[in-house]
Amino acid sequence: MRYFVILAFPLLLLFACSGSKHSSNSPVSAYNIVIDGKLWSSLFEQKAAEYRALCLQAYNIARLRLDEALLQPSSKPRAIITDIDETFLDNSPFSVHQALQGKDYEVAAWAEWTAKAMADTLTGALSFYNYAASRNVEIFYITNRRESEKDGTLQNLRRFHFPLADEQHLILRKDVSSKESRRQQVAATHEIVLFLGDNLADFSSLFDGPKTTAERAAGVQQLSLEFGKRFIVLPNTNYGGWEDAIYGNNFSLTPQQKDSAIKNNLKAY
Ligand SMILES: [Mg+2]
């Protein structure tokens, strides 16, 4: 008995210590997909030369399609409609900033970031928009940044000398997130030759409103001939309508509930 106590006590102590160590520091239990996952997706956007190549691929195709459009007659002035965030401005430092604090996207933190006007540009973007402007094609920046973010946004665009970075060409979100009425507003006076975006709702009202993953995929199939033609898509692994759909477009889920939704949506073998 005495020997048992002498031997058992250190063993119990060892188990207790290793148990508490496991629960507090285990990379599995502490890892949160939706928050820490943004570090991984941001790493790709910041460091993978493949991401740069994808952006160049998008902007090279855009230029090709623009040149084709310029050969066609047009009764109205030509225009390009482009989104801003993750279409030509890189906000991955914001995602990293949030994730390192254990936080997901927050409206107030986002506004703080955009007010700094320091987002860098994506590879190939600036030269494309400058080329379009040199060919007398107007550029309309249709974004879901809010009116309160106007000054910071204009400052960010002007910092890199984006063409037509003025109040007439920057069309922010006023009430609805749908960009359809804003696209129609431009289409009333211009021939829209190209749309650029990272989110499907940047292209068509087909993707507006809460849409399921299956509905989004069906919409892409329906418009399949437009991609790489009038619709130029930039990759965004960090966020977007695709992520909202995973959560059932429910914006009040906790990070833990989001993690469950992510796991439930994944396919393994
Ligand atoms: Mg965007």
Side-chain angles (χ1 to χ4, degrees), residues 81-111:
I81 287 181
T82 181
D83 169 59
I84 294 179
D85 296 310
E86 275 52 65
T87 295
F88 66 85
L89 285 189
D90 169 18
N91 298 288
S92 60
F94 166 74
S95 297
V96 174
H97 174 86
Q98 290 295 103
L100 290 178
Q101 296 179 80
K103 293 176 180 174
D104 202 350
Y105 172 88
E106 293 171 318
V107 174
W110 171 258

PDB file of all heavy atoms in Angstrom, residues 81-111:
ATOM      1  N   ILE A  81     -17.403  48.769 -65.034  1.00  0.00           N
ATOM      2  CA  ILE A  81     -17.858  48.812 -63.643  1.00  0.00           C
ATOM      3  C   ILE A  81     -16.966  47.873 -62.852  1.00  0.00           C
ATOM      4  O   ILE A  81     -16.828  46.688 -63.192  1.00  0.00           O
ATOM      5  CB  ILE A  81     -19.341  48.391 -63.527  1.00  0.00           C
ATOM      6  CG1 ILE A  81     -20.230  49.518 -64.082  1.00  0.00           C
ATOM      7  CG2 ILE A  81     -19.706  48.075 -62.073  1.00  0.00           C
ATOM      8  CD1 ILE A  81     -21.722  49.248 -64.001  1.00  0.00           C
ATOM      9  N   THR A  82     -16.363  48.420 -61.824  1.00  0.00           N
ATOM     10  CA  THR A  82     -15.499  47.577 -60.992  1.00  0.00           C
ATOM     11  C   THR A  82     -15.817  47.731 -59.506  1.00  0.00           C
ATOM     12  O   THR A  82     -16.166  48.808 -59.038  1.00  0.00           O
ATOM     13  CB  THR A  82     -13.998  47.898 -61.218  1.00  0.00           C
ATOM     14  OG1 THR A  82     -13.204  47.030 -60.386  1.00  0.00           O
ATOM     15  CG2 THR A  82     -13.654  49.345 -60.892  1.00  0.00           C
ATOM     16  N   ASP A  83     -15.709  46.615 -58.818  1.00  0.00           N
ATOM     17  CA  ASP A  83     -15.744  46.604 -57.362  1.00  0.00           C
ATOM     18  C   ASP A  83     -14.359  47.087 -56.880  1.00  0.00           C
ATOM     19  O   ASP A  83     -13.438  47.250 -57.709  1.00  0.00           O
ATOM     20  CB  ASP A  83     -16.018  45.162 -56.901  1.00  0.00           C
ATOM     21  CG  ASP A  83     -15.816  44.956 -55.423  1.00  0.00           C
ATOM     22  OD1 ASP A  83     -16.494  45.646 -54.650  1.00  0.00           O
ATOM     23  OD2 ASP A  83     -14.976  44.112 -55.035  1.00  0.00           O
ATOM     24  N   ILE A  84     -14.213  47.341 -55.612  1.00  0.00           N
ATOM     25  CA  ILE A  84     -12.913  47.807 -55.088  1.00  0.00           C
ATOM     26  C   ILE A  84     -12.192  46.725 -54.264  1.00  0.00           C
ATOM     27  O   ILE A  84     -11.110  46.273 -54.632  1.00  0.00           O
ATOM     28  CB  ILE A  84     -13.093  49.091 -54.230  1.00  0.00           C
ATOM     29  CG1 ILE A  84     -13.562  50.257 -55.133  1.00  0.00           C
ATOM     30  CG2 ILE A  84     -11.792  49.447 -53.511  1.00  0.00           C
ATOM     31  CD1 ILE A  84     -13.785  51.567 -54.390  1.00  0.00           C
ATOM     32  N   ASP A  85     -12.827  46.323 -53.157  1.00  0.00           N
ATOM     33  CA  ASP A  85     -12.126  45.462 -52.189  1.00  0.00           C
ATOM     34  C   ASP A  85     -11.906  44.045 -52.707  1.00  0.00           C
ATOM     35  O   ASP A  85     -12.847  43.363 -53.125  1.00  0.00           O
ATOM     36  CB  ASP A  85     -12.903  45.438 -50.868  1.00  0.00           C
ATOM     37  CG  ASP A  85     -12.925  46.839 -50.249  1.00  0.00           C
ATOM     38  OD1 ASP A  85     -11.848  47.445 -50.146  1.00  0.00           O
ATOM     39  OD2 ASP A  85     -14.023  47.312 -49.898  1.00  0.00           O
ATOM     40  N   GLU A  86     -10.683  43.632 -52.695  1.00  0.00           N
ATOM     41  CA  GLU A  86     -10.231  42.318 -53.184  1.00  0.00           C
ATOM     42  C   GLU A  86     -10.466  42.163 -54.691  1.00  0.00           C
ATOM     43  O   GLU A  86     -10.326  41.069 -55.230  1.00  0.00           O
ATOM     44  CB  GLU A  86     -10.887  41.170 -52.396  1.00  0.00           C
ATOM     45  CG  GLU A  86     -10.156  40.809 -51.116  1.00  0.00           C
ATOM     46  CD  GLU A  86      -9.874  41.988 -50.188  1.00  0.00           C
ATOM     47  OE1 GLU A  86     -10.827  42.600 -49.660  1.00  0.00           O
ATOM     48  OE2 GLU A  86      -8.690  42.325 -50.001  1.00  0.00           O
ATOM     49  N   THR A  87     -10.841  43.282 -55.332  1.00  0.00           N
ATOM     50  CA  THR A  87     -10.866  43.306 -56.795  1.00  0.00           C
ATOM     51  C   THR A  87      -9.631  44.051 -57.267  1.00  0.00           C
ATOM     52  O   THR A  87      -8.982  43.657 -58.226  1.00  0.00           O
ATOM     53  CB  THR A  87     -12.159  43.951 -57.311  1.00  0.00           C
ATOM     54  OG1 THR A  87     -13.257  43.118 -56.932  1.00  0.00           O
ATOM     55  CG2 THR A  87     -12.150  44.118 -58.826  1.00  0.00           C
ATOM     56  N   PHE A  88      -9.291  45.144 -56.551  1.00  0.00           N
ATOM     57  CA  PHE A  88      -7.991  45.758 -56.826  1.00  0.00           C
ATOM     58  C   PHE A  88      -7.317  46.333 -55.591  1.00  0.00           C
ATOM     59  O   PHE A  88      -6.150  46.702 -55.644  1.00  0.00           O
ATOM     60  CB  PHE A  88      -8.063  46.798 -57.958  1.00  0.00           C
ATOM     61  CG  PHE A  88      -8.872  48.028 -57.649  1.00  0.00           C
ATOM     62  CD1 PHE A  88      -8.310  49.102 -56.987  1.00  0.00           C
ATOM     63  CD2 PHE A  88     -10.186  48.112 -58.068  1.00  0.00           C
ATOM     64  CE1 PHE A  88      -9.044  50.252 -56.727  1.00  0.00           C
ATOM     65  CE2 PHE A  88     -10.928  49.266 -57.816  1.00  0.00           C
ATOM     66  CZ  PHE A  88     -10.364  50.336 -57.140  1.00  0.00           C
ATOM     67  N   LEU A  89      -8.028  46.413 -54.456  1.00  0.00           N
ATOM     68  CA  LEU A  89      -7.349  46.769 -53.200  1.00  0.00           C
ATOM     69  C   LEU A  89      -7.243  45.528 -52.317  1.00  0.00           C
ATOM     70  O   LEU A  89      -8.192  44.743 -52.219  1.00  0.00           O
ATOM     71  CB  LEU A  89      -8.105  47.871 -52.455  1.00  0.00           C
ATOM     72  CG  LEU A  89      -7.991  49.300 -52.995  1.00  0.00           C
ATOM     73  CD1 LEU A  89      -8.614  50.289 -52.004  1.00  0.00           C
ATOM     74  CD2 LEU A  89      -6.551  49.720 -53.311  1.00  0.00           C
ATOM     75  N   ASP A  90      -6.088  45.387 -51.693  1.00  0.00           N
ATOM     76  CA  ASP A  90      -5.776  44.227 -50.858  1.00  0.00           C
ATOM     77  C   ASP A  90      -6.002  44.561 -49.383  1.00  0.00           C
ATOM     78  O   ASP A  90      -5.235  45.323 -48.792  1.00  0.00           O
ATOM     79  CB  ASP A  90      -4.309  43.836 -51.105  1.00  0.00           C
ATOM     80  CG  ASP A  90      -3.791  42.823 -50.104  1.00  0.00           C
ATOM     81  OD1 ASP A  90      -4.613  42.161 -49.438  1.00  0.00           O
ATOM     82  OD2 ASP A  90      -2.558  42.695 -49.990  1.00  0.00           O
ATOM     83  N   ASN A  91      -7.069  43.979 -48.819  1.00  0.00           N
ATOM     84  CA  ASN A  91      -7.372  44.243 -47.406  1.00  0.00           C
ATOM     85  C   ASN A  91      -6.932  43.108 -46.489  1.00  0.00           C
ATOM     86  O   ASN A  91      -7.394  43.029 -45.350  1.00  0.00           O
ATOM     87  CB  ASN A  91      -8.882  44.463 -47.247  1.00  0.00           C
ATOM     88  CG  ASN A  91      -9.351  45.672 -48.024  1.00  0.00           C
ATOM     89  OD1 ASN A  91      -9.070  46.804 -47.653  1.00  0.00           O
ATOM     90  ND2 ASN A  91     -10.050  45.439 -49.135  1.00  0.00           N
ATOM     91  N   SER A  92      -6.061  42.240 -46.977  1.00  0.00           N
ATOM     92  CA  SER A  92      -5.644  41.121 -46.126  1.00  0.00           C
ATOM     93  C   SER A  92      -4.976  41.587 -44.819  1.00  0.00           C
ATOM     94  O   SER A  92      -5.124  40.904 -43.802  1.00  0.00           O
ATOM     95  CB  SER A  92      -4.754  40.146 -46.891  1.00  0.00           C
ATOM     96  OG  SER A  92      -3.586  40.783 -47.358  1.00  0.00           O
ATOM     97  N   PRO A  93      -4.274  42.756 -44.795  1.00  0.00           N
ATOM     98  CA  PRO A  93      -3.730  43.187 -43.497  1.00  0.00           C
ATOM     99  C   PRO A  93      -4.826  43.405 -42.444  1.00  0.00           C
ATOM    100  O   PRO A  93      -4.595  43.197 -41.252  1.00  0.00           O
ATOM    101  CB  PRO A  93      -3.024  44.517 -43.825  1.00  0.00           C
ATOM    102  CG  PRO A  93      -2.645  44.373 -45.270  1.00  0.00           C
ATOM    103  CD  PRO A  93      -3.804  43.630 -45.895  1.00  0.00           C
ATOM    104  N   PHE A  94      -6.021  43.789 -42.880  1.00  0.00           N
ATOM    105  CA  PHE A  94      -7.139  43.946 -41.937  1.00  0.00           C
ATOM    106  C   PHE A  94      -7.545  42.582 -41.385  1.00  0.00           C
ATOM    107  O   PHE A  94      -7.749  42.429 -40.177  1.00  0.00           O
ATOM    108  CB  PHE A  94      -8.329  44.622 -42.629  1.00  0.00           C
ATOM    109  CG  PHE A  94      -9.612  44.520 -41.847  1.00  0.00           C
ATOM    110  CD1 PHE A  94      -9.811  45.294 -40.715  1.00  0.00           C
ATOM    111  CD2 PHE A  94     -10.604  43.616 -42.218  1.00  0.00           C
ATOM    112  CE1 PHE A  94     -10.988  45.183 -39.970  1.00  0.00           C
ATOM    113  CE2 PHE A  94     -11.773  43.490 -41.488  1.00  0.00           C
ATOM    114  CZ  PHE A  94     -11.967  44.280 -40.355  1.00  0.00           C
ATOM    115  N   SER A  95      -7.639  41.596 -42.268  1.00  0.00           N
ATOM    116  CA  SER A  95      -8.026  40.243 -41.826  1.00  0.00           C
ATOM    117  C   SER A  95      -7.013  39.690 -40.835  1.00  0.00           C
ATOM    118  O   SER A  95      -7.379  39.070 -39.836  1.00  0.00           O
ATOM    119  CB  SER A  95      -8.127  39.304 -43.030  1.00  0.00           C
ATOM    120  OG  SER A  95      -9.139  39.727 -43.902  1.00  0.00           O
ATOM    121  N   VAL A  96      -5.727  39.938 -41.110  1.00  0.00           N
ATOM    122  CA  VAL A  96      -4.671  39.460 -40.212  1.00  0.00           C
ATOM    123  C   VAL A  96      -4.753  40.180 -38.868  1.00  0.00           C
ATOM    124  O   VAL A  96      -4.674  39.556 -37.803  1.00  0.00           O
ATOM    125  CB  VAL A  96      -3.280  39.653 -40.863  1.00  0.00           C
ATOM    126  CG1 VAL A  96      -2.166  39.299 -39.882  1.00  0.00           C
ATOM    127  CG2 VAL A  96      -3.163  38.804 -42.129  1.00  0.00           C
ATOM    128  N   HIS A  97      -4.932  41.492 -38.930  1.00  0.00           N
ATOM    129  CA  HIS A  97      -5.049  42.311 -37.716  1.00  0.00           C
ATOM    130  C   HIS A  97      -6.165  41.771 -36.812  1.00  0.00           C
ATOM    131  O   HIS A  97      -5.972  41.621 -35.598  1.00  0.00           O
ATOM    132  CB  HIS A  97      -5.349  43.760 -38.121  1.00  0.00           C
ATOM    133  CG  HIS A  97      -5.622  44.682 -36.984  1.00  0.00           C
ATOM    134  ND1 HIS A  97      -4.615  45.332 -36.296  1.00  0.00           N
ATOM    135  CD2 HIS A  97      -6.783  45.071 -36.399  1.00  0.00           C
ATOM    136  CE1 HIS A  97      -5.158  46.085 -35.343  1.00  0.00           C
ATOM    137  NE2 HIS A  97      -6.458  45.937 -35.392  1.00  0.00           N
ATOM    138  N   GLN A  98      -7.302  41.453 -37.407  1.00  0.00           N
ATOM    139  CA  GLN A  98      -8.437  40.940 -36.632  1.00  0.00           C
ATOM    140  C   GLN A  98      -8.135  39.551 -36.078  1.00  0.00           C
ATOM    141  O   GLN A  98      -8.355  39.283 -34.901  1.00  0.00           O
ATOM    142  CB  GLN A  98      -9.693  40.875 -37.517  1.00  0.00           C
ATOM    143  CG  GLN A  98     -10.263  42.222 -37.902  1.00  0.00           C
ATOM    144  CD  GLN A  98     -10.783  43.012 -36.708  1.00  0.00           C
ATOM    145  OE1 GLN A  98     -10.115  43.933 -36.247  1.00  0.00           O
ATOM    146  NE2 GLN A  98     -11.926  42.635 -36.179  1.00  0.00           N
ATOM    147  N   ALA A  99      -7.625  38.672 -36.955  1.00  0.00           N
ATOM    148  CA  ALA A  99      -7.390  37.279 -36.546  1.00  0.00           C
ATOM    149  C   ALA A  99      -6.372  37.188 -35.416  1.00  0.00           C
ATOM    150  O   ALA A  99      -6.515  36.379 -34.498  1.00  0.00           O
ATOM    151  CB  ALA A  99      -6.930  36.459 -37.745  1.00  0.00           C
ATOM    152  N   LEU A 100      -5.334  38.037 -35.462  1.00  0.00           N
ATOM    153  CA  LEU A 100      -4.311  37.996 -34.413  1.00  0.00           C
ATOM    154  C   LEU A 100      -4.871  38.423 -33.054  1.00  0.00           C
ATOM    155  O   LEU A 100      -4.294  38.134 -32.020  1.00  0.00           O
ATOM    156  CB  LEU A 100      -3.107  38.873 -34.797  1.00  0.00           C
ATOM    157  CG  LEU A 100      -2.249  38.343 -35.954  1.00  0.00           C
ATOM    158  CD1 LEU A 100      -1.121  39.311 -36.277  1.00  0.00           C
ATOM    159  CD2 LEU A 100      -1.690  36.950 -35.649  1.00  0.00           C
ATOM    160  N   GLN A 101      -6.004  39.115 -33.079  1.00  0.00           N
ATOM    161  CA  GLN A 101      -6.672  39.476 -31.824  1.00  0.00           C
ATOM    162  C   GLN A 101      -7.800  38.511 -31.492  1.00  0.00           C
ATOM    163  O   GLN A 101      -8.592  38.770 -30.579  1.00  0.00           O
ATOM    164  CB  GLN A 101      -7.272  40.882 -31.951  1.00  0.00           C
ATOM    165  CG  GLN A 101      -6.260  41.989 -32.151  1.00  0.00           C
ATOM    166  CD  GLN A 101      -6.973  43.317 -32.297  1.00  0.00           C
ATOM    167  OE1 GLN A 101      -7.375  43.920 -31.314  1.00  0.00           O
ATOM    168  NE2 GLN A 101      -7.157  43.750 -33.530  1.00  0.00           N
ATOM    169  N   GLY A 102      -7.884  37.426 -32.266  1.00  0.00           N
ATOM    170  CA  GLY A 102      -8.943  36.439 -32.039  1.00  0.00           C
ATOM    171  C   GLY A 102     -10.304  36.936 -32.458  1.00  0.00           C
ATOM    172  O   GLY A 102     -11.335  36.494 -31.944  1.00  0.00           O
ATOM    173  N   LYS A 103     -10.323  37.898 -33.409  1.00  0.00           N
ATOM    174  CA  LYS A 103     -11.607  38.486 -33.807  1.00  0.00           C
ATOM    175  C   LYS A 103     -11.936  38.208 -35.270  1.00  0.00           C
ATOM    176  O   LYS A 103     -11.049  38.129 -36.112  1.00  0.00           O
ATOM    177  CB  LYS A 103     -11.566  40.010 -33.603  1.00  0.00           C
ATOM    178  CG  LYS A 103     -11.489  40.424 -32.145  1.00  0.00           C
ATOM    179  CD  LYS A 103     -11.344  41.931 -32.061  1.00  0.00           C
ATOM    180  CE  LYS A 103     -11.267  42.402 -30.619  1.00  0.00           C
ATOM    181  NZ  LYS A 103     -10.972  43.850 -30.559  1.00  0.00           N
ATOM    182  N   ASP A 104     -13.227  38.116 -35.508  1.00  0.00           N
ATOM    183  CA  ASP A 104     -13.746  37.992 -36.866  1.00  0.00           C
ATOM    184  C   ASP A 104     -13.962  39.422 -37.399  1.00  0.00           C
ATOM    185  O   ASP A 104     -13.613  40.401 -36.738  1.00  0.00           O
ATOM    186  CB  ASP A 104     -15.085  37.233 -36.800  1.00  0.00           C
ATOM    187  CG  ASP A 104     -15.462  36.590 -38.127  1.00  0.00           C
ATOM    188  OD1 ASP A 104     -14.803  36.871 -39.143  1.00  0.00           O
ATOM    189  OD2 ASP A 104     -16.431  35.792 -38.131  1.00  0.00           O
ATOM    190  N   TYR A 105     -14.573  39.549 -38.565  1.00  0.00           N
ATOM    191  CA  TYR A 105     -14.888  40.868 -39.137  1.00  0.00           C
ATOM    192  C   TYR A 105     -15.760  41.674 -38.170  1.00  0.00           C
ATOM    193  O   TYR A 105     -16.682  41.128 -37.552  1.00  0.00           O
ATOM    194  CB  TYR A 105     -15.639  40.673 -40.470  1.00  0.00           C
ATOM    195  CG  TYR A 105     -16.192  41.939 -41.064  1.00  0.00           C
ATOM    196  CD1 TYR A 105     -15.411  42.726 -41.905  1.00  0.00           C
ATOM    197  CD2 TYR A 105     -17.497  42.359 -40.770  1.00  0.00           C
ATOM    198  CE1 TYR A 105     -15.917  43.900 -42.440  1.00  0.00           C
ATOM    199  CE2 TYR A 105     -18.005  43.531 -41.308  1.00  0.00           C
ATOM    200  CZ  TYR A 105     -17.210  44.299 -42.145  1.00  0.00           C
ATOM    201  OH  TYR A 105     -17.713  45.456 -42.668  1.00  0.00           O
ATOM    202  N   GLU A 106     -15.474  42.958 -38.041  1.00  0.00           N
ATOM    203  CA  GLU A 106     -16.298  43.861 -37.231  1.00  0.00           C
ATOM    204  C   GLU A 106     -16.451  45.168 -38.009  1.00  0.00           C
ATOM    205  O   GLU A 106     -15.469  45.691 -38.551  1.00  0.00           O
ATOM    206  CB  GLU A 106     -15.624  44.179 -35.898  1.00  0.00           C
ATOM    207  CG  GLU A 106     -15.502  42.993 -34.951  1.00  0.00           C
ATOM    208  CD  GLU A 106     -14.627  43.307 -33.746  1.00  0.00           C
ATOM    209  OE1 GLU A 106     -13.576  43.959 -33.935  1.00  0.00           O
ATOM    210  OE2 GLU A 106     -15.002  42.905 -32.644  1.00  0.00           O
ATOM    211  N   VAL A 107     -17.674  45.698 -38.045  1.00  0.00           N
ATOM    212  CA  VAL A 107     -17.966  46.908 -38.822  1.00  0.00           C
ATOM    213  C   VAL A 107     -17.070  48.077 -38.386  1.00  0.00           C
ATOM    214  O   VAL A 107     -16.469  48.756 -39.220  1.00  0.00           O
ATOM    215  CB  VAL A 107     -19.463  47.300 -38.689  1.00  0.00           C
ATOM    216  CG1 VAL A 107     -19.743  48.636 -39.375  1.00  0.00           C
ATOM    217  CG2 VAL A 107     -20.348  46.218 -39.291  1.00  0.00           C
ATOM    218  N   ALA A 108     -16.965  48.306 -37.080  1.00  0.00           N
ATOM    219  CA  ALA A 108     -16.194  49.458 -36.575  1.00  0.00           C
ATOM    220  C   ALA A 108     -14.707  49.308 -36.900  1.00  0.00           C
ATOM    221  O   ALA A 108     -14.046  50.276 -37.301  1.00  0.00           O
ATOM    222  CB  ALA A 108     -16.399  49.609 -35.074  1.00  0.00           C
ATOM    223  N   ALA A 109     -14.184  48.097 -36.737  1.00  0.00           N
ATOM    224  CA  ALA A 109     -12.759  47.861 -37.020  1.00  0.00           C
ATOM    225  C   ALA A 109     -12.481  48.029 -38.515  1.00  0.00           C
ATOM    226  O   ALA A 109     -11.433  48.567 -38.906  1.00  0.00           O
ATOM    227  CB  ALA A 109     -12.366  46.454 -36.560  1.00  0.00           C
ATOM    228  N   TRP A 110     -13.423  47.607 -39.334  1.00  0.00           N
ATOM    229  CA  TRP A 110     -13.281  47.766 -40.794  1.00  0.00           C
ATOM    230  C   TRP A 110     -13.222  49.261 -41.158  1.00  0.00           C
ATOM    231  O   TRP A 110     -12.391  49.681 -41.960  1.00  0.00           O
ATOM    232  CB  TRP A 110     -14.448  47.083 -41.525  1.00  0.00           C
ATOM    233  CG  TRP A 110     -14.503  47.380 -42.988  1.00  0.00           C
ATOM    234  CD1 TRP A 110     -15.348  48.273 -43.610  1.00  0.00           C
ATOM    235  CD2 TRP A 110     -13.661  46.839 -44.018  1.00  0.00           C
ATOM    236  NE1 TRP A 110     -15.088  48.305 -44.970  1.00  0.00           N
ATOM    237  CE2 TRP A 110     -14.059  47.435 -45.242  1.00  0.00           C
ATOM    238  CE3 TRP A 110     -12.623  45.914 -44.025  1.00  0.00           C
ATOM    239  CZ2 TRP A 110     -13.460  47.126 -46.466  1.00  0.00           C
ATOM    240  CZ3 TRP A 110     -12.015  45.609 -45.250  1.00  0.00           C
ATOM    241  CH2 TRP A 110     -12.437  46.215 -46.444  1.00  0.00           C
ATOM    242  N   ALA A 111     -14.100  50.044 -40.557  1.00  0.00           N
ATOM    243  CA  ALA A 111     -14.127  51.489 -40.831  1.00  0.00           C
ATOM    244  C   ALA A 111     -12.803  52.144 -40.411  1.00  0.00           C
ATOM    245  O   ALA A 111     -12.305  53.050 -41.085  1.00  0.00           O
ATOM    246  CB  ALA A 111     -15.307  52.142 -40.117  1.00  0.00           C
TER     247      ALA A 111
END
